[in-house]
Amino acid sequence: MFVRALFLFALVLPTASWADEPDPILPSLLVDGSVIGTTLVLEAAAWRFDRSLPSRDCPCDPKTVPAWDRWAIGRVDVAGEHASDYIQYSLVGAAPAALALGDPGTLRDRALAAVLAMEAMAASSAVTSLIKSTVHRPRPYAYTNGPVGGHPYHSFPSGHTSASFAAASATATIWRHRHPH
């Protein structure tokens, strides 16, 4: 995940010319407001849809798992799960921080770049939440008596992957816009 984001950033970085003045970021109340409004609606829809589903008891029946997924049943690493979350949040938070601190230009442009990156990640999170609520695929621990907390039926799609991709895409897009040469 981190390597992919670093690779995407490295592809964009050599095109920047530090001697030139970067292009300004021009916010649009219509576009930004629409994205933020849609994000809130999608998050609310995911929350509402998730609560409207009948509760399903865990553990689930392992016989219902496709053969290619059976290797994952019963594999639970709580420490690894927490470490993965901490690494993801710190790396995803690094995208707006890199745009806010590492980009030459005015403080306003750097702040706008950071806000746009956070906006992209929030929109990605909303779409991911809605898909997770709709697909309702069980996590591997839902088939055993493993730790069932949070959302045992929010396995797909990966929130870590979508957040990382949103952060890398936003950073690359903003960087290319600010440094087109």
Side-chain angles (χ1 to χ4, degrees):
M1 172 170 40
F2 174 70
V3 174
R4 288 183 189 153
L6 190 60
F7 177 74
L8 285 173
F9 192 74
L11 283 176
V12 176
L13 188 59
T15 64
S17 172
W18 294 97
D20 296 338
E21 183 66 27
D23 289 344
I25 294 176
L26 303 173
S28 167
L29 183 60
L30 178 64
V31 172
D32 293 332
S34 298
V35 169
I36 292 169
T38 303
T39 299
L40 294 173
V41 167
L42 288 175
E43 280 290 350
W47 181 82
R48 176 101 170 142
F49 184 74
D50 206 35
R51 272 117 190 106
S52 72
L53 295 173
S55 64
R56 293 165 59 180
D57 294 333
C58 291
C60 304
D61 184 10
K63 295 175 188 159
T64 62
V65 177
W68 60 82
D69 280 345
R70 287 194 186 125
W71 65 272
I73 294 177
R75 295 179 185 236
V76 178
D77 182 5
V78 177
E81 180 181 338
H82 291 302
S84 173
D85 287 342
Y86 296 139
I87 291 169
Q88 178 220 355
Y89 296 136
S90 63
L91 293 177
V92 166
L99 288 167
L101 301 173
D103 190 13
T106 66
L107 180 61
R108 178 184 179 277
D109 284 341
R110 293 184 306 188
L112 282 172
V115 168
L116 287 173
M118 289 187 287
E119 187 178 299
M121 289 182 286
S124 170
S125 173
V127 171
T128 302
S129 295
L130 185 62
I131 294 172
K132 281 178 183 272
S133 296
T134 306
V135 172
H136 222 61
R137 182 175 181 179
R139 296 184 187 276
Y141 64 74
Y143 294 96
T144 64
N145 289 326
V148 179
H151 298 286
Y153 288 94
H154 283 188
S155 177
F156 177 83
S158 168
H160 290 82
T161 303
S162 64
S164 299
F165 187 79
S169 298
T171 303
T173 302
I174 292 167
W175 196 272
R176 282 234 188 244
H177 172 76
R178 301 253 307 135
H179 306 282
H181 308 296

